[in-house]
Coordinates of all heavy atoms in Angstrom, one line a residue:
F56 N -70.1 59.5 -79.0 CA -71.5 59.9 -79.0 C -71.9 60.8 -80.1 O -73.1 61.1 -80.2 CB -71.8 60.6 -77.6 CG -72.1 59.6 -76.5 CD1 -71.1 58.7 -76.1 CD2 -73.3 59.6 -75.8 CE1 -71.4 57.8 -75.1 CE2 -73.5 58.8 -74.8 CZ -72.6 57.8 -74.4
G57 N -71.0 61.3 -80.9 CA -71.4 62.1 -82.1 C -70.7 63.5 -82.1 O -70.1 63.9 -81.1
S58 N -70.9 64.2 -83.2 CA -70.2 65.4 -83.4 C -70.8 66.6 -82.7 O -70.1 67.6 -82.5 CB -70.2 65.8 -84.9 OG -71.5 65.9 -85.4
A59 N -72.0 66.5 -82.2 CA -72.6 67.7 -81.4 C -72.2 67.6 -80.0 O -72.4 68.6 -79.2 CB -74.1 67.6 -81.5
V60 N -71.5 66.6 -79.5 CA -71.1 66.4 -78.1 C -70.3 67.6 -77.6 O -70.6 68.1 -76.5 CB -70.5 65.0 -77.9 CG1 -69.8 64.9 -76.6 CG2 -71.4 63.9 -78.1
P61 N -69.3 68.0 -78.2 CA -68.5 69.1 -77.6 C -69.3 70.4 -77.4 O -69.1 71.0 -76.3 CB -67.4 69.4 -78.7 CG -67.2 68.1 -79.4 CD -68.6 67.5 -79.4
T62 N -70.2 70.7 -78.2 CA -71.1 71.9 -78.0 C -71.9 71.7 -76.8 O -72.0 72.6 -75.9 CB -71.9 72.1 -79.2 OG1 -71.1 72.3 -80.4 CG2 -72.8 73.3 -79.0
I63 N -72.5 70.5 -76.6 CA -73.4 70.2 -75.5 C -72.6 70.2 -74.2 O -73.0 70.8 -73.2 CB -74.1 68.9 -75.7 CG1 -75.0 69.0 -76.9 CG2 -74.9 68.5 -74.4 CD1 -75.6 67.7 -77.4
I64 N -71.4 69.6 -74.3 CA -70.5 69.6 -73.1 C -70.1 71.0 -72.7 O -70.2 71.4 -71.5 CB -69.2 68.8 -73.4 CG1 -69.6 67.3 -73.5 CG2 -68.2 69.0 -72.3 CD1 -68.4 66.4 -74.1
A65 N -69.7 71.8 -73.6 CA -69.3 73.2 -73.3 C -70.5 74.0 -72.7 O -70.3 74.7 -71.7 CB -68.9 73.9 -74.6
E66 N -71.7 73.8 -73.2 CA -72.9 74.5 -72.7 C -73.1 74.1 -71.2 O -73.4 75.0 -70.4 CB -74.1 74.3 -73.6 CG -74.0 75.0 -74.9 CD -75.2 74.6 -75.8 OE1 -75.9 73.6 -75.5 OE2 -75.3 75.3 -76.8
Q67 N -73.0 72.8 -71.0 CA -73.3 72.3 -69.6 C -72.2 72.9 -68.6 O -72.5 73.3 -67.5 CB -73.3 70.8 -69.6 CG -74.4 70.2 -70.4 CD -75.8 70.6 -69.8 OE1 -76.3 71.6 -70.0 NE2 -76.3 69.7 -69.0
I68 N -71.0 72.8 -69.0 CA -69.9 73.3 -68.2 C -70.0 74.8 -67.9 O -69.8 75.3 -66.8 CB -68.5 72.9 -68.8 CG1 -68.3 71.4 -68.7 CG2 -67.4 73.6 -68.1 CD1 -67.1 70.8 -69.4
I69 N -70.2 75.5 -69.0 CA -70.4 77.0 -68.8 C -71.6 77.3 -67.9 O -71.4 78.2 -67.0 CB -70.6 77.7 -70.2 CG1 -69.2 77.6 -71.0 CG2 -71.0 79.1 -70.0 CD1 -69.3 78.0 -72.4
A70 N -72.7 76.6 -68.0 CA -73.8 76.9 -67.2 C -73.5 76.6 -65.7 O -73.8 77.4 -64.8 CB -75.0 76.0 -67.6
A71 N -72.8 75.5 -65.5 CA -72.4 75.2 -64.1 C -71.4 76.2 -63.5 O -71.5 76.6 -62.4 CB -71.8 73.7 -64.0
A72 N -70.5 76.6 -64.4 CA -69.5 77.6 -63.9 C -70.1 78.9 -63.7 O -69.7 79.6 -62.7 CB -68.4 77.7 -65.0
K73 N -71.1 79.3 -64.4 CA -71.9 80.5 -64.2 C -72.5 80.5 -62.8 O -72.7 81.5 -62.2 CB -72.9 80.8 -65.3 CG -72.4 81.3 -66.5 CD -73.6 81.6 -67.5 CE -73.1 82.3 -68.8 NZ -74.3 82.5 -69.7
N74 N -72.9 79.3 -62.4 CA -73.5 79.1 -61.1 C -72.5 79.0 -59.9 O -72.9 78.7 -58.8 CB -74.5 77.9 -61.0 CG -75.7 78.2 -61.8 OD1 -76.2 79.3 -61.9 ND2 -76.2 77.1 -62.5
G75 N -71.2 79.2 -60.3 CA -70.2 79.3 -59.3 C -69.4 78.0 -59.1 O -68.5 78.0 -58.3
E76 N -69.7 77.0 -59.8 CA -68.9 75.7 -59.7 C -67.5 75.9 -60.2 O -67.3 76.4 -61.3 CB -69.6 74.5 -60.4 CG -68.9 73.2 -60.2 CD -68.8 72.8 -58.7 OE1 -69.9 72.6 -58.1 OE2 -67.7 72.8 -58.2
R77 N -66.5 75.5 -59.4 CA -65.1 75.6 -59.8 C -64.3 74.3 -59.7 O -63.2 74.3 -60.1 CB -64.4 76.7 -59.0 CG -65.0 78.1 -59.2 CD -64.8 78.6 -60.6 NE -65.2 79.9 -60.8 CZ -66.4 80.3 -61.3 NH1 -67.3 79.4 -61.6 NH2 -66.7 81.6 -61.5
D78 N -65.0 73.2 -59.3 CA -64.3 71.9 -59.2 C -64.4 71.2 -60.5 O -65.5 71.0 -61.0 CB -64.9 71.1 -58.1 CG -64.3 69.8 -57.9 OD1 -63.2 69.8 -57.3 OD2 -64.8 68.8 -58.4
S79 N -63.3 70.8 -61.1 CA -63.3 70.2 -62.4 C -64.1 68.8 -62.4 O -64.7 68.5 -63.4 CB -61.9 70.0 -63.0 OG -61.2 69.1 -62.2
D80 N -64.0 68.1 -61.3 CA -64.7 66.8 -61.2 C -66.2 67.1 -61.3 O -67.0 66.3 -61.9 CB -64.3 66.0 -60.0 CG -62.9 65.5 -60.0 OD1 -62.4 65.2 -61.2 OD2 -62.3 65.3 -59.0
R81 N -66.7 68.1 -60.5 CA -68.1 68.4 -60.5 C -68.6 69.0 -61.8 O -69.7 68.7 -62.3 CB -68.5 69.2 -59.3 CG -68.4 68.5 -58.0 CD -69.0 69.2 -56.9 NE -68.3 70.4 -56.5 CZ -67.4 70.5 -55.6 NH1 -67.0 69.4 -54.9 NH2 -66.7 71.6 -55.3
L82 N -67.7 69.8 -62.5 CA -68.1 70.3 -63.8 C -68.2 69.1 -64.8 O -69.1 69.1 -65.6 CB -67.0 71.3 -64.3 CG -67.0 72.6 -63.5 CD1 -65.7 73.4 -63.9 CD2 -68.2 73.4 -63.8
Y83 N -67.3 68.2 -64.7 CA -67.3 67.0 -65.6 C -68.6 66.2 -65.4 O -69.3 65.8 -66.3 CB -66.1 66.1 -65.2 CG -66.1 64.7 -65.8 CD1 -65.8 64.5 -67.2 CD2 -66.3 63.6 -65.0 CE1 -65.8 63.2 -67.7 CE2 -66.2 62.4 -65.5 CZ -66.0 62.2 -66.8 OH -66.0 60.9 -67.4
E84 N -69.0 66.0 -64.1 CA -70.2 65.3 -63.8 C -71.4 66.0 -64.4 O -72.4 65.4 -64.9 CB -70.4 65.1 -62.3 CG -69.4 64.1 -61.8 CD -69.3 64.1 -60.2 OE1 -70.1 64.8 -59.6 OE2 -68.5 63.4 -59.7
Q85 N -71.4 67.4 -64.3 CA -72.5 68.2 -64.8 C -72.6 68.0 -66.4 O -73.7 67.9 -66.9 CB -72.3 69.6 -64.5 CG -72.6 70.0 -63.1 CD -74.1 69.7 -62.7 OE1 -74.3 68.9 -61.8 NE2 -75.0 70.3 -63.3
A86 N -71.5 67.9 -67.0 CA -71.5 67.7 -68.5 C -72.1 66.4 -68.8 O -72.8 66.2 -69.8 CB -70.0 67.8 -69.0
L87 N -71.8 65.3 -68.1 CA -72.3 64.0 -68.4 C -73.7 63.9 -68.1 O -74.4 63.1 -68.8 CB -71.5 62.9 -67.5 CG -70.0 62.8 -67.8 CD1 -69.4 61.7 -67.0 CD2 -69.7 62.6 -69.3
K88 N -74.3 64.7 -67.2 CA -75.7 64.6 -66.9 C -76.6 64.9 -68.1 O -77.7 64.4 -68.2 CB -76.1 65.5 -65.7 CG -75.6 64.9 -64.4 CD -76.0 65.8 -63.2 CE -75.6 65.2 -61.9 NZ -76.0 66.1 -60.8
A89 N -76.1 65.7 -69.0 CA -76.8 66.1 -70.2 C -77.0 64.8 -71.1 O -77.9 64.8 -71.9 CB -76.1 67.1 -71.0
F90 N -76.2 63.8 -70.9 CA -76.3 62.6 -71.6 C -76.9 61.5 -70.8 O -76.8 60.3 -71.1 CB -74.9 62.2 -72.1 CG -74.3 63.2 -73.1 CD1 -73.6 64.2 -72.5 CD2 -74.6 63.1 -74.4 CE1 -73.0 65.2 -73.4 CE2 -74.0 64.1 -75.3 CZ -73.3 65.1 -74.7
A91 N -77.6 61.8 -69.7 CA -78.2 60.9 -68.7 C -77.2 59.9 -68.1 O -77.6 58.8 -67.8 CB -79.4 60.2 -69.4
I92 N -75.9 60.4 -68.0 CA -74.9 59.6 -67.4 C -74.7 60.2 -66.0 O -74.2 61.3 -65.8 CB -73.6 59.6 -68.2 CG1 -73.8 59.0 -69.6 CG2 -72.5 58.8 -67.4 CD1 -72.7 59.1 -70.5
V93 N -75.1 59.4 -65.0 CA -75.0 59.9 -63.6 C -73.7 59.4 -63.0 O -73.1 60.1 -62.2 CB -76.2 59.5 -62.8 CG1 -76.1 60.0 -61.4 CG2 -77.5 60.0 -63.4
D94 N -73.4 58.1 -63.2 CA -72.2 57.6 -62.6 C -71.1 57.3 -63.7 O -71.3 56.4 -64.5 CB -72.5 56.2 -61.9 CG -71.3 55.6 -61.2 OD1 -70.3 56.2 -61.1 OD2 -71.5 54.4 -60.8
A95 N -70.1 58.2 -63.7 CA -69.1 58.1 -64.8 C -68.0 57.0 -64.4 O -67.1 56.8 -65.3 CB -68.5 59.4 -65.0
S96 N -68.1 56.4 -63.3 CA -67.0 55.5 -62.9 C -66.9 54.3 -63.8 O -65.9 53.6 -63.8 CB -67.2 55.1 -61.4 OG -68.4 54.3 -61.3
M97 N -68.0 53.9 -64.5 CA -68.0 52.7 -65.3 C -67.9 53.1 -66.8 O -68.1 52.2 -67.6 CB -69.2 51.9 -65.1 CG -69.3 51.3 -63.7 SD -67.9 50.3 -63.3 CE -68.1 48.9 -64.4
L98 N -67.6 54.3 -67.2 CA -67.4 54.6 -68.6 C -66.3 53.9 -69.3 O -66.4 53.5 -70.4 CB -67.2 56.1 -68.8 CG -68.5 57.0 -68.7 CD1 -68.1 58.5 -68.8 CD2 -69.4 56.6 -69.8
F99 N -65.2 53.7 -68.5 CA -64.1 52.9 -69.1 C -63.9 51.7 -68.3 O -63.6 51.8 -67.1 CB -62.8 53.8 -69.1 CG -63.0 55.0 -69.9 CD1 -63.2 56.3 -69.4 CD2 -62.9 54.9 -71.3 CE1 -63.3 57.4 -70.2 CE2 -63.0 56.0 -72.1 CZ -63.2 57.3 -71.5
V100 N -63.9 50.6 -68.9 CA -63.7 49.3 -68.2 C -62.3 48.8 -68.4 O -61.7 48.3 -67.5 CB -64.8 48.3 -68.6 CG1 -64.6 47.0 -67.9 CG2 -66.2 48.8 -68.4
S101 N -61.8 48.9 -69.6 CA -60.5 48.4 -69.9 C -59.4 49.4 -69.5 O -59.5 50.6 -69.7 CB -60.4 48.1 -71.4 OG -59.1 47.6 -71.7
V102 N -58.3 48.9 -68.9 CA -57.2 49.8 -68.6 C -55.9 49.4 -69.3 O -54.9 50.0 -69.0 CB -57.0 49.8 -67.0 CG1 -58.2 50.5 -66.4 CG2 -56.7 48.4 -66.5
G103 N -55.9 48.4 -70.1 CA -54.7 47.9 -70.8 C -54.9 48.0 -72.3 O -55.7 48.6 -72.8
L104 N -54.0 47.2 -72.9 CA -54.1 47.1 -74.4 C -55.3 46.3 -74.8 O -55.9 45.6 -74.0 CB -52.8 46.5 -74.9 CG -51.5 47.2 -74.6 CD1 -50.4 46.3 -75.1 CD2 -51.5 48.5 -75.3
D105 N -55.7 46.5 -76.0 CA -56.9 45.7 -76.5 C -56.5 44.2 -76.5 O -55.3 43.9 -76.8 CB -57.2 46.1 -78.0 CG -57.8 47.5 -78.1 OD1 -58.3 47.9 -77.1 OD2 -57.7 48.1 -79.2
P106 N -57.4 43.4 -76.0 CA -57.1 42.0 -75.9 C -56.8 41.4 -77.3 O -57.4 41.8 -78.3 CB -58.3 41.4 -75.3 CG -59.4 42.3 -75.5 CD -58.8 43.7 -75.6

Side-chain angles (χ1 to χ4, degrees):
F56 277 59
S58 62
V60 169
T62 301
I63 297 167
I64 290 170
E66 290 175 347
Q67 294 295 81
I68 290 173
I69 291 168
K73 280 183 175 181
N74 287 326
E76 184 58 66
R77 296 297 184 262
D78 181 79
S79 65
D80 290 333
R81 288 192 292 266
L82 290 168
Y83 168 74
E84 291 169 2
Q85 285 300 116
L87 297 185
K88 285 183 180 180
F90 299 89
I92 299 171
V93 178
D94 181 10
S96 65
M97 294 302 292
L98 279 177
F99 298 103
V100 179
S101 177
V102 293
L104 299 174
D105 291 337

